[in-house]
Amino acid sequence: METADITFRTRKWVRPEDLNANGTLFGGSLLKWIDEEAAIYAILQLGNGRAVTKYISEINFVSSAVQGDLIEMGLTATRFGRTSLTMRAEVRNMITRQSILTIEEIVFVNLSPSGRPEPHGYTEITYDRDRIPTHHLTETLSGDA
Ligand SMILES: CC(=O)SCCNC(=O)CCNC(=O)[C@H](O)C(C)(C)COP(=O)(O)OP(=O)(O)OC[C@H]1O[C@@H](n2cnc3c(N)ncnc32)[C@H](O)[C@@H]1OP(=O)(O)O
């Protein structure tokens, strides 16, 4: 997998509670983190807090991490559909850059207030932060008043 176009954002410190019985990073913890990371990415790209995980392709646990490792998670949008957004994910060791996990396709669906798929109208990535969900902005601004 190419990693050049992936932006690594969130970092994690592998702690005792994240380990499996083998003493390495528990895959379930990793999947929980990457699903949350993908949700945040999708929410910001689609400008909608109602975005849900629809599909996750094969997950390749490339190598393990151990307690104390610093790891980082990266995502990039690979396809803007009508109501969906497809992302590619990679988790790697922050220091050695060794790949820990790759997922070719994570598909999120943009939902209407009634919970049905709704066209999002976007075709490309932006990091301009101009797609922060407006209802969150409204709540934030009214909370500041
Ligand atoms: C962040 C979280 O934890 S969310 C919690 C976990 N996720 C959930 O609970 C979601 C549960 N699933 C659902 O509620 C429903 O399946 C919905 C509302 C997401 C989608 O309903 P569907 O009837 O499948 O919608 P529909 O057939 O219109 O497809 C919607 C989009 O998903 C895509 N899609 C549907 N199935 C798949 C699939 N198996 N693989 C990839 N994409 C798919 C479609 O191509 C479509 O994309 P497009 O509009 O860009 O072409």
Side-chain angles (χ1 to χ4, degrees):
M1 173 196 289
E2 289 293 323
T3 57
D5 54 351
I6 285 189
T7 306
F8 289 88
R9 294 173 185 276
T10 301
R11 295 176 290 184
K12 290 279 185 185
W13 186 32
V14 179
R15 299 183 299 174
E17 60 265 37
D18 304 317
L19 303 181
N20 57 32
N22 197 36
T24 59
L25 176 58
F26 178 48
S29 296
L30 198 47
L31 292 178
K32 179 178 167 182
W33 297 338
I34 202 74
D35 191 36
E36 182 176 354
E37 187 75 3
I40 294 168
Y41 188 102
I43 286 167
L44 291 175
Q45 286 298 317
L46 302 177
N48 182 4
R50 286 177 290 268
V52 290
T53 319
K54 174 63 189 174
Y55 172 81
I56 299 180
S57 71
E58 292 89 350
I59 300 158
N60 186 356
F61 289 95
V62 181
S63 68
S64 55
V66 297
Q67 185 175 326
D69 276 355
L70 300 175
I71 67 171
E72 58 188 356
M73 297 186 281
L75 285 157
T76 190
T78 53
R79 182 174 175 272
F80 285 80
R82 199 175 78 93
T83 66
S84 67
L85 171 65
T86 304
M87 293 159 274
R88 190 165 71 219
E90 176 161 18
V91 179
R92 69 182 184 186
N93 183 297
M94 218 183 104
I95 309 298
T96 66
R97 304 281 172 96
Q98 165 71 46
S99 184
I100 294 170
L101 166 148
T102 59
I103 306 176
E104 275 305 309
E105 285 183 74
I106 303 179
V107 179
F108 269 65
V109 174
N110 187 67
L111 299 184
S112 68
S114 64
R116 293 304 306 154
E118 182 173 66
H120 49 65
Y122 295 113
T123 56
E124 59 185 31
I125 298 174
T126 181
Y127 296 115
D128 294 342
R129 298 260 165 198
D130 58 353
R131 294 186 196 169
I132 290 175
T134 49
H135 61 276
H136 286 302
L137 278 179
T138 309
E139 284 160 17
T140 305
L141 292 174
S142 61
D144 288 346

